[in-house]
Amino acid sequence: MATPNPSTRPESPPNDHVIDLREIHKNYRMGSETIHALNGVNCTIDVNEYMAIMGPSGSGKSTLMNIIGCLDRPSAGEYWLAGENVSKLNDKALARVRNRMIGFVFQTFNLLTKSNALQNVETPLLYSGIGRRERRNRALEALDRVGLGDRTFHKPSELSGGQRQRVAVARALVNDPAILLADEPTGNLDSHTAEDVFGLLIEFVRESGLAAVIATHNLELASKMDWVVRLE
């Protein structure tokens, strides 16, 4: 994706850029060696845009996803998220941004095994300080939207893989985030279920005006995205 030279950009990003990565570098020290995991990544994503991140193992996909998801900070460069420069925030501030702005969907679902579907979906709202009644109402609505209104009190072990991922999608979207960040969201699903879950993700992105970033090895899935960023 072509983007302006960082030196010519304004100090704050245009309002329609949900994600604006500017010359992002990430370096790691391994003994006496410096590993350049990311070396000058630039891209922008707007409302209702979908971007796939592709590349072989070791190309930096997870590193880039961690930075976009505010799980890590770049070694150099700037990351503007919905108009805020989050690249220099401390851990506590990043945690607030993650909870408020980003919904996560993982390949392995990452559901709380001892909690039922409703409790899993309520979790982000609990950390946001939302009251019990509103938490429950919003979580019930989210489960209805993903077609699991009849599985409210089922634990993950009582759900199929596709149903577990639907719970994860409901949890990711219950807090009305600005970004949906999905790491191989269909990797543990059969092809039919994967197509179903991916269609659900895109439907919610369109309805909610989100920006979506999906790391995937699935060429068919990536071909349906607006942008594909390939890392080497």
Side-chain angles (χ1 to χ4, degrees):
M1 188 190 322
T3 56
N5 186 305
S7 64
T8 66
R9 290 185 173 185
E11 291 186 359
S12 60
N15 292 330
D16 58 350
H17 290 332
V18 180
I19 295 172
D20 188 349
L21 300 172
R22 306 177 177 186
E23 284 294 308
I24 295 295
H25 293 252
K26 185 64 180 181
N27 304 323
Y28 297 100
R29 292 288 297 176
M30 295 187 67
S32 60
E33 186 179 3
T34 299
I35 304 299
H36 302 285
L38 298 173
N39 192 14
V41 174
N42 289 283
C43 73
T44 60
I45 308 172
D46 297 336
V47 170
N48 277 332
E49 283 194 332
Y50 330 121
M51 183 178 83
I53 299 176
M54 304 191 75
S57 297
S59 62
K61 294 192 305 299
S62 294
T63 302
L64 183 56
M65 290 286 282
N66 285 343
I67 288 174
I68 294 174
C70 294
L71 295 165
D72 199 359
R73 287 181 290 273
S75 303
E78 293 183 350
Y79 172 24
W80 290 81
L81 172 57
E84 180 181 6
N85 185 354
V86 298
S87 40
K88 307 300 182 184
L89 296 180
N90 61 32
D91 290 344
K92 188 174 182 179
L94 279 178
R96 286 196 298 267
V97 170
R98 281 197 304 273
N99 186 256
R100 187 180 79 250
M101 302 289 292
I102 303 170
F104 293 91
V105 179
F106 302 96
Q107 178 179 353
T108 54
F109 317 130
N110 283 18
L111 300 178
L112 302 172
T113 57
K114 295 183 179 180
S115 299
N116 60 37
L118 179 64
Q119 292 165 333
N120 269 283
V121 176
E122 283 182 320
T123 302
L125 301 174
L126 180 65
Y127 288 114
S128 295
I130 304 298
R132 181 177 180 182
R133 178 175 294 181
E134 184 179 351
R135 281 203 314 270
R136 172 154 292 215
N137 289 341
R138 286 170 62 173
L140 287 171
E141 181 182 352
L143 284 168
D144 280 336
R145 288 180 69 192
V146 300
L148 290 179
D150 60 342
R151 296 289 188 273
T152 301
F153 300 108
H154 286 62
K155 293 184 178 179
S157 61
E158 301 169 319
L159 301 172
S160 68
Q163 289 171 334
R164 277 178 268 175
Q165 195 60 297
R166 283 173 175 265
V167 173
V169 171
R171 179 186 60 189
L173 298 173
V174 74
N175 228 3
D176 296 323
I179 301 173
L180 177 66
L181 197 64
D183 189 2
E184 293 286 357
T186 61
N188 278 345
L189 306 175
D190 63 75
S191 57
H192 176 75
T193 305
E195 183 72 21
D196 188 37
V197 168
F198 180 69
L200 187 70
L201 286 172
I202 294 302
E203 177 186 340
F204 282 154
V205 170
R206 288 174 178 158
E207 286 180 357
S208 306
L210 299 171
V213 182
I214 298 179
T216 183
H217 291 291
N218 188 322
L219 291 171
E220 183 178 356
L221 187 156
S223 70
K224 299 176 182 179
M225 310 296 280
D226 295 314
W227 304 101
V228 178
V229 172
R230 299 182 185 275
L231 301 179
E232 296 181 356

